[in-house]
Amino acid sequence: GGGGGGGGLASHPPRPSPATTVRRDLLALKATLDDVQKKKNAGEITAAQAETRVAQVNQRRLALLQTAKKQLDLEQRNVRDLEIHMRKQIETIRGGGGGGGGSPV
C-alpha cells in the first residue's frame, strides 16, 4: 500500500461536519455493496453469502443514518438559534427600540 507522506504544517484541518463523515461512511458501504454484487455476478460467492453481506451493510447503513439525523438535527438547531440571536442583535444595534414581534420568516 501507499506510504504516509504529509506532516509539516501544524495547522489541523477543520473537523469534517457530520454530513461529510456520514457521506464518507456511506460511500465505504456502497463500495462493499459493489464488491458483493461483482462477486455474486462472477459466481465467486453464493447468493446466501451475498445476502449475509448485504444484510450487514444494510444494518450499518440504517444505524449510520439514524446517528446522522440526530447530529444534523442538532446542527440545524444550533444554526437556527444563532441566526435568530444575530437577527435580534442586529435589530437592537439598529435601534429597533423594543424590537417588536418577531417578524415571520
Side-chain angles (χ1 to χ4, degrees), residues 2-78:
L9 294 173
S11 66
H12 291 287
R15 224 174 98 249
S17 76
T20 307
T21 312
V22 167
R23 185 164 180 278
R24 195 187 56 218
D25 291 350
L26 283 176
L27 283 173
L29 289 178
K30 171 141 181 15
T32 304
L33 285 179
D34 292 344
D35 186 53
V36 169
Q37 197 170 23
K38 205 166 59 192
K39 286 185 173 160
K40 188 185 173 202
N41 291 344
E44 291 174 32
I45 58 175
T46 65
Q49 284 172 316
E51 174 51 40
T52 304
R53 300 273 304 273
V54 168
Q56 285 172 339
V57 168
N58 197 38
Q59 231 171 5
R60 286 187 42 203
R61 179 183 67 90
L62 294 173
L64 203 60
L65 291 176
Q66 226 169 10
T67 307
K69 190 174 175 337
K70 277 185 210 144
Q71 286 177 314
L72 292 173
D73 285 350
L74 189 66
E75 252 184 30
Q76 279 177 330
R77 198 159 53 237
N78 289 343

